[in-house]
Amino acid sequence: MNLDDALKWASSRHHCVLITLRSDGRPQSSDVAFLVENGDFLISVTADRAKTRNIERDPRVVVHLTDAAHWTYLSFDGTGALSPVTTSPDDETSEALVHYYRAVAGKEHPDWAEYRQAMIDESRQILRVTPTHVVGQINT
């Protein structure tokens, strides 16, 4: 499977399973929303969740997408990097979270000040997954 072709297919979607590694090596999976940007997956995460702690300890991840109607699946191996947690409505992470929302939701938030404060209250940050390999099949 060609990585560029797989990313092109993935870029038209916004939901996947993120698989990280627990400290004992067992996989931990989470359903998440994502955005493909410049060949990377962007995912909004919170600092206190298991997936975030797992990535801090071991940045190896899998982003898994399926389309059951067409028997299509892609599993991207990659490396995750976490942005700083947003702590101010005008910091770089807050701006990235606004960009993420617009791209994933496809619309403007009705109250950006409220959204930015919620991101601070939830200790949100952006996970950037750089894919290194993909397996699967795309059926149309």
Side-chain angles (χ1 to χ4, degrees):
M1 171 68 48
N2 176 286
L3 188 57
D4 289 335
D5 291 342
L7 284 167
K8 182 178 179 183
W9 184 85
S11 68
S12 67
R13 284 134 178 87
H14 293 295
H15 294 93
C16 70
V17 175
L18 174 67
I19 302 166
T20 61
L21 297 172
R22 294 180 172 114
S23 60
D24 65 3
R26 292 179 301 131
Q28 187 267 330
S29 62
S30 303
D31 290 337
V32 297
F34 71 90
L35 161 67
V36 174
E37 184 174 87
N38 299 322
D40 290 339
F41 291 90
L42 303 182
I43 300 167
S44 174
V45 298
T46 56
D48 64 347
R49 298 283 168 85
K51 65 180 151 283
T52 308
R53 291 189 304 272
N54 291 344
I55 293 162
E56 288 172 338
R57 186 185 57 262
D58 186 338
R60 295 176 297 165
V61 301
V62 171
V63 174
H64 184 79
L65 291 81
T66 62
D67 180 349
H70 296 103
W71 289 95
T72 293
Y73 75 95
L74 295 174
S75 286
F76 294 86
D77 293 329
T79 304
L82 294 161
S83 74
V85 173
T86 186
T87 58
S88 169
D90 59 354
D91 65 23
E92 190 174 321
T93 301
S94 181
E95 293 300 323
L97 287 161
V98 166
H99 170 72
Y100 172 86
Y101 179 94
R102 285 179 172 141
V104 172
K107 62 182 180 181
E108 294 294 313
H109 191 278
D111 185 339
W112 284 115
E114 177 185 61
Y115 174 83
R116 289 172 189 265
Q117 188 58 53
M119 298 300 97
I120 294 167
D121 294 345
E122 294 173 11
S123 299
R124 289 267 169 189
Q125 58 195 130
I126 294 286
L127 166 63
R128 179 176 295 273
V129 175
T130 301
T132 55
H133 184 257
V134 63
V135 297
Q137 61 186 18
I138 299 173
N139 296 310
T140 54

